[in-house]
Amino acid sequence: MGFEPQKQDGTSHEQWKKIVNGKLYKVTVDCPKAPFSKTLVKSMAAQAGVSKKVFLEYCFDKKLKDDPHQ
């Protein structure tokens, strides 16, 4: 989806950022929680600015080839 990893501050949480048309999207991932619960996936999708379905298609199934923000 074009997110870039950000420098970690010593925690298990990873932050990924992307700016589209001046809008900042920031997704926080708690890696030790993998595999992620449905609630956590829904939260990450909301942070990414897409639906849970689109998020899963793009990140896991790789069926969605185009960036959903464009």
Side-chain angles (χ1 to χ4, degrees), residues 26-54:
K26 181 171 70 171
V27 178
T28 301
V29 180
D30 190 3
C31 293
K33 301 267 188 209
F36 304 122
S37 69
K38 291 179 182 181
T39 303
L40 191 51
V41 171
K42 185 177 177 181
S43 175
M44 289 188 290
Q47 292 171 14
V50 297
S51 70
K52 181 179 168 184
K53 180 182 181 220
V54 168

Side-chain angles (χ1 to χ4, degrees), residues 4-61:
E4 298 289 331
Q6 301 303 296
K7 185 177 178 181
Q8 284 187 253
D9 59 2
T11 70
S12 63
H13 292 81
E14 292 181 7
Q15 290 192 338
W16 296 75
K17 294 182 182 179
K18 177 179 181 177
I19 297 175
V20 178
N21 297 325
K23 180 172 175 135
L24 172 67
Y25 294 93
K26 181 171 70 171
V27 178
T28 301
V29 180
D30 190 3
C31 293
K33 301 267 188 209
F36 304 122
S37 69
K38 291 179 182 181
T39 303
L40 191 51
V41 171
K42 185 177 177 181
S43 175
M44 289 188 290
Q47 292 171 14
V50 297
S51 70
K52 181 179 168 184
K53 180 182 181 220
V54 168
F55 186 81
L56 289 172
E57 287 175 351
Y58 196 91
C59 295
F60 299 107
D61 296 338

